[in-house]
Structures are given as C-alpha cells and as structure tokens.
Amino acid sequence: METFAVTYVFDKTRQEQMHAATTDQRTTTWLADLVERNIVQCSGPFASGNGGLLIFKSDWTENLNALLLETHSPNPTSSSTPR
C-alpha cells in the first residue's frame, strides 16, 4: 500500500460551503468509517481554516479517487500525491 497526502481547499468567499462540509454528519460518518478501516491515517484542518489535509493508505490512485468521490460534501478542490 502507498501513502497519499490529500489536501482540500475551501473558497473563503463561500462560507456556507465550508460550514456545510465540516459539519455534515454524512461526511463525518464517511471519514470515521475510513479511519476505522485504517484507510485514513490522519486528518485535520489547516490553521488558516481554509482547508485541510488527509493522509490515506491505498493500493491504487484509482481506488483513492473512488473513495474521495463517495463523499456527500460539496466537491472540494483536492489533489492526491503519493508519498
């Protein structure tokens, strides 16, 4: 398995999007499930409040992209880079 760093950034002009994505119960449940399955190794917001970082374990980039598409939150700008 490879380790991937995924960053997400919110548009500061869209405060509703930021709030919805960080408080949505479906997103919280999705993330908790991935932590329980040892897919998400670490996650947290940036100190600036405009996004965050998630560290994933995955066999393939395609599998990780499919997991990211499972989220029900507004579609953040994200990129995954193997580490």
Side-chain angles (χ1 to χ4, degrees):
M1 281 208 181
E2 295 196 48
T3 302
F4 295 86
V6 177
T7 59
Y8 59 93
V9 179
F10 291 113
D11 180 348
K12 285 189 174 190
T13 64
R14 299 182 68 190
Q15 293 294 324
E16 287 181 27
Q17 175 195 27
M18 289 172 37
H19 180 73
T22 57
T23 60
D24 188 308
Q25 183 62 38
R26 293 171 295 179
T27 302
T28 303
T29 302
W30 172 83
L31 186 58
D33 176 60
L34 294 178
V35 168
E36 186 176 305
R37 293 167 39 201
N38 294 317
I39 295 171
V40 170
Q41 305 298 299
C42 181
S43 67
F46 294 140
S48 64
N50 68 340
L53 175 69
L54 299 112
I55 306 295
F56 288 87
K57 289 280 191 186
S58 183
D59 291 333
W60 303 98
T61 303
E62 292 80 13
N63 293 348
L64 176 57
N65 287 335
L67 284 173
L68 294 172
L69 291 173
E70 286 179 12
T71 63
H72 299 285
S73 61
N75 194 9
T77 302
S78 65
S79 63
S80 58
T81 306
R83 299 282 177 204

